[in-house]
Amino acid sequence: ELLWLLNWASQYYQYPIGEVVQQALPTLLRQGRPARVKGIELWRLTASGQSLQPSDISRAPRQAALLSLLQQHPAGLTSPELNQRQERWRPVMARLLEKNWVEMTEQQLASNHTQLPSEKPELNQDQLLAVQQILNHLDSYHAFLLDGVTGSGKTEVYLRVIDSVLAAKQQALILVPEIGLTPQLLSRFQRRFPTVSIAVLHSGLNDQERLQAWLSASKGNAGIIIGTRSALLTPLARPGIIIVDEEHDLSFKQQEGFRYSARDLAIVRAQHLQVPVILGSATPALESLANCERERFTRLHLPERAGAATPPEFKLIDVRGQKLDNGLSAQLLAQMQTHLAAGGQVLLFINRRGFAPVMMCHDCGWHSRCERCDAHMTIHQQARRLRCHHCGSERPLPAHCPGCNSENLIQVGYGTERVEQVLKLHFPATPILRIDRDTTRRKGAMQAMLDQIKQGESQILVGTQMLAKGHHFPNLTLVGLLDADYGLFSADFRAAERLGQLVLQVAGRAGRAERQGEVLIQTHHPESPLLQSLLSHDYGRFAQALLSERQAANLPPYSHLALLRAEAVDAQAPYRFLEEAHALVSQMGSNGIEMYGPFPAPMQRRAGRNRAQMLLQASSRAPLQTLLSTWLQ
């Protein structure tokens, strides 16, 4: 079944079958290691280790710290639990093992049989209806779009359906867009299904952990498999249902090497397996909504927030002519003060990490451009570095202008790091937490930060879109979007859709419990029809307007596109190659396929290579696929 899927994907996405199969295999299997199910390592103290005091080995502080940690957990700790609690613990553990102070045993995939299942909340009428409709199709393929406003209880619908899938001795595969969402979802599933083995698959695991999760899914030991995009390519012994949470999310698209959409492949796999597939989102992709219109999917709508939660109130802040303090308006700062005084948490969203996006010389106009890309290098103040977020190159912050040797260097714009610094001046006594790719690099860092937020230790959160997805923060009452304009003027025809989804997803973090939430959106274009339509919370109407535009312009989902991109160190080589490709199509006969280009890629130079592209557009997929398979040869 899985080989069939990989073969289908290889043909559909026009990518070599060997490399597609490689992508589906864990690294250790690719290296020829045996497919042996290995238990999870459980570390606990021996009798001599229990009698020791950490003070007895104070001259070895790391050993003393690990000993103390194990003494707090007499039943022992598994390797994944140790990974979350202590960095680089293995060499230290090896010393304790040599001294016979600890012992290691292997146990099968963790499931806590002693724990009682958490209580099931009462479902509202819409949730009940959704669960019932899905349960009616458990023994056949059916695609459902679970379209529920943020906080409407989509996860509870998944849990009820999975209950029936497990009762039928089948497996459930759940895909989430980000690693950051996995721990939160995992703990909720563990509380609900304490006797069920759950396999987790994402890029944060080491090779051995990934192989063990893959094997436990393929042998049927794990009843539930939770993972990010690539988890879709996991073999299943008894498949029962596939669920794609936040189905609209761009993270489900693999953008390098074997490019594929995990959401689309999930539908193909479910159809082949004859099991239902659920796509869940508060802001469904326009393609999914179009599939509902064509009656390929069944739309299940959850219009109300679950429990006592009410939708947040939206307001636009017109920042034209206002004096901003590093992106913060006086109105936003005043509202933050009000919410903090009332005991609420505040989230400020800016989709730009680092301190400032550009360093500039005030005397000669020099900019901190990347030498390898058509992009500026971002200032990272804490690390004292300039970094390119496209190719990864970096260099120290200059003390003088490389152009004129002036010391008059200014930092233009703002990112999460700068906003955090400014907030410390405005709210010196309030704990502030910054969540972006720079602060969550360490293993377990994201989960530790989420725990901090839930315990109320941090009152102001500053973050990128890592904070926009699926998180539940009961005390969060105010969300501020510092710059909502970047999606209004873009070369990407999907930019308006993505902006709308992002605004509503970020806004959905506010007022998820009993407290009323408020969302403030700073903009230089308050009259924008797009922003105005979002104020009413009516994503359906907003999406319908965008679908009408797409249909008028004959853009997806009303047509189909393929992109051929070429890159080379020589600036002219990509154009010569694409012109030859264009000539080939003319010889073969285009069969109603429109061709545009060659023209420069949106970022013409990246990582030292010049890039150009050509776009193919067709009204149906079949002639496009026929052309591509011959053309690529």
Side-chain angles (χ1 to χ4, degrees):
E1 167 270 324
L2 186 57
L3 190 57
W4 177 89
L5 180 78
L6 299 174
N7 203 43
W8 186 94
S10 162
Q11 291 170 23
Y12 181 79
Y13 292 108
Q14 304 289 339
Y15 205 71
I17 182 63
E19 293 186 45
V20 174
V21 173
Q22 286 271 16
Q23 182 99 12
L25 287 171
T27 305
L28 294 181
L29 288 190
R30 278 185 246 160
Q31 293 169 355
R33 300 280 185 90
R36 185 178 77 83
V37 177
K38 186 171 173 267
I40 290 179
E41 296 170 329
L42 179 73
W43 304 85
R44 60 177 154 226
L45 294 174
T46 58
S48 54
Q50 285 164 359
S51 62
L52 266 179
Q53 292 301 316
S55 54
D56 298 342
I57 51 170
S58 57
R59 292 180 69 180
R62 293 193 66 203
Q63 289 181 37
L66 193 52
L67 189 78
S68 172
L69 180 64
L70 288 168
Q71 284 176 345
Q72 290 163 33
H73 297 85
L77 288 170
T78 63
S79 297
E81 287 168 339
L82 283 162
N83 287 340
Q84 288 179 350
R85 288 171 169 82
Q86 204 144 333
E87 274 193 323
R88 298 201 306 276
W89 56 270
R90 281 190 181 274
V92 186
M93 189 69 86
R95 299 275 179 279
L96 300 183
L97 203 58
E98 278 170 23
K99 294 169 182 173
N100 200 30
W101 291 340
V102 297
E103 61 184 1
M104 188 274 283
T105 55
E106 280 190 10
Q107 61 170 28
Q108 286 313 301
L109 201 68
S111 61
N112 185 358
H113 293 268
T114 58
Q115 191 181 321
L116 289 171
S118 59
E119 283 187 26
K120 298 175 183 177
E122 206 169 308
L123 298 183
N124 62 34
Q125 200 55 44
D126 297 304
Q127 287 173 308
L128 276 170
L129 198 64
V131 170
Q132 199 48 58
Q133 278 196 259
I134 298 165
L135 293 182
N136 290 344
H137 293 87
L138 272 193
D139 54 354
S140 61
Y141 165 73
H142 202 95
F144 295 95
L145 176 65
L146 186 61
D147 167 17
V149 297
T150 51
S152 59
K154 290 184 288 295
T155 308
E156 189 54 42
V157 171
Y158 304 154
L159 290 166
R160 294 295 176 99
V161 172
I162 289 168
D163 223 341
S164 297
V165 169
L166 295 171
K169 301 278 187 280
Q170 291 177 312
Q171 293 167 295
L173 171 63
I174 300 101
L175 301 183
V176 291
E178 297 271 356
I179 300 177
L181 291 178
T182 316
Q184 178 181 302
L185 199 66
L186 179 62
S187 69
R188 189 161 174 189
F189 273 65
Q190 283 170 334
R191 288 196 305 274
R192 182 62 69 85
F193 306 112
T195 61
V196 177
S197 290
I198 300 175
V200 180
L201 287 138
H202 56 69
S203 59
L205 303 176
N206 65 37
D207 289 345
Q208 189 57 247
E209 288 167 336
R210 196 174 181 86
L211 174 61
Q212 291 309 312
W214 193 89
L215 288 172
S216 86
S218 71
K219 293 184 185 305
N221 300 340
I224 296 171
I225 298 93
I226 299 175
T228 47
R229 180 178 62 225
S230 61
L232 176 72
L233 307 177
T234 306
L236 302 169
R238 307 179 311 278
I241 194 163
I242 300 175
I243 296 169
V244 184
D245 193 29
E246 308 292 352
E247 63 90 31
H248 67 277
D249 201 285
L250 194 59
S251 305
F252 284 123
K253 282 195 172 181
Q254 168 85 13
Q255 307 279 19
E256 297 293 327
F258 167 41
R259 293 167 169 80
Y260 67 94
S261 162
R263 178 199 63 202
D264 295 354
L265 274 188
I267 296 161
V268 172
R269 188 175 188 187
Q271 194 167 13
H272 185 65
L273 288 169
Q274 283 300 296
V275 299
V277 60
I278 307 173
L279 310 177
S281 178
T283 53
L286 296 190
E287 289 86 354
S288 299
L289 292 171
N291 276 324
C292 289
E293 279 181 10
R294 294 164 183 155
E295 298 185 354
R296 290 177 184 165
F297 297 176
T298 299
R299 189 175 180 182
L300 306 171
H301 192 42
L302 305 179
E304 305 289 327
R305 281 193 158 190
T310 53
E313 188 185 349
F314 276 72
K315 286 178 191 160
L316 294 179
I317 298 178
D318 185 354
V319 293
R320 288 176 296 190
Q322 280 199 42
K323 191 174 186 303
L324 300 178
D325 186 354
N326 292 289
L328 301 169
S329 64
Q331 194 178 337
L332 178 59
L333 288 166
Q335 281 302 97
M336 286 177 69
Q337 192 68 62
T338 305
H339 281 259
L340 291 169
Q345 286 175 319
V346 173
L347 163 62
L348 293 187
F349 174 82
I350 170 167
N351 214 10
R352 194 184 300 123
R353 62 193 173 98
F355 187 82
V358 187
M359 178 173 265
M360 177 179 153
C361 175
H362 200 44
D363 292 340
C364 75
W366 168 87
H367 283 71
S368 57
R369 294 195 72 81
C370 176
E371 290 167 8
R372 305 173 71 225
C373 304
D374 286 338
H376 289 102
M377 296 190 91
T378 302
I379 302 159
H380 286 255
Q381 192 73 31
Q382 216 169 343
R384 307 287 304 156
R385 309 285 288 173
L386 285 172
R387 287 182 182 146
C388 175
H389 289 175
H390 300 282
C391 71
S393 63
E394 56 178 87
R395 54 181 187 258
L397 277 183
H400 304 88
C401 168
C404 69
N405 214 31
S406 162
E407 290 183 18
N408 199 0
L409 295 172
I410 56 172
Q411 295 160 334
V412 183
Y414 50 88
T416 48
E417 205 181 327
R418 190 170 200 164
V419 170
E420 179 192 26
Q421 198 177 87
V422 173
L423 289 170
K424 283 177 179 171
L425 299 175
H426 285 281
F427 305 97
T430 307
I432 298 167
L433 191 65
R434 170 165 63 95
I435 297 187
D436 55 29
R437 207 147 22 126
D438 298 318
T439 61
T440 56
R441 285 187 197 280
R442 276 178 38 224
K443 202 165 188 175
M446 181 73 177
Q447 185 53 38
M449 288 181 174
L450 294 175
D451 292 342
Q452 235 176 297
I453 296 167
K454 281 176 189 153
Q455 286 154 17
E457 291 171 29
S458 301
Q459 292 306 100
I460 300 176
L461 321 174
V462 180
T464 57
Q465 58 185 1
M466 290 180 84
L467 272 178
K469 303 166 186 177
H471 299 296
H472 178 69
F473 305 136
N475 298 321
L476 188 70
T477 56
L478 176 65
V479 168
L481 282 88
L482 299 195
D483 180 15
D485 296 340
Y486 67 91
L488 297 176
F489 309 99
S490 170
D492 182 1
F493 70 89
R494 289 192 170 95
E497 177 189 2
R498 299 228 169 99
L499 174 66
Q501 288 166 341
L502 196 57
V503 167
L504 289 174
Q505 290 285 343
V506 178
R509 302 312 110 212
R512 288 173 73 95
E514 285 71 30
R515 306 172 75 167
Q516 175 67 41
E518 185 179 8
V519 179
L520 299 178
I521 303 170
Q522 294 189 161
T523 174
H524 286 87
H525 304 276
E527 70 293 329
S528 157
L530 192 151
L531 291 176
Q532 287 293 334
S533 67
L534 292 175
L535 294 183
S536 62
H537 296 261
D538 193 347
Y539 180 76
R541 199 177 67 191
F542 163 77
Q544 214 50 55
L546 288 184
L547 278 170
S548 301
E549 277 182 20
R550 295 269 188 96
Q551 196 164 14
N554 196 29
L555 286 168
Y558 301 100
S559 69
H560 305 279
L561 301 178
L563 185 78
L564 180 68
R565 181 179 290 147
E567 55 177 54
V569 175
D570 170 13
Q572 291 310 308
Y575 290 94
R576 287 196 296 272
F577 172 78
L578 292 174
E579 277 155 11
E580 281 177 37
H582 197 298
L584 270 176
V585 172
S586 305
Q587 289 167 28
M588 287 158 49
S590 59
N591 196 14
I593 294 164
E594 298 284 335
M595 299 193 70
Y596 305 97
F599 45 75
M603 184 180 288
Q604 194 168 346
R605 193 159 168 272
R606 184 171 178 173
R609 297 175 75 81
N610 294 283
R611 310 187 312 157
Q613 59 194 36
M614 193 155 64
L615 197 66
L616 284 74
Q617 185 173 28
S619 55
S620 65
R621 281 194 184 95
L624 188 58
Q625 285 287 10
T626 305
L627 172 78
L628 290 177
S629 56
T630 319
W631 193 39
L632 279 174
Q633 294 299 329

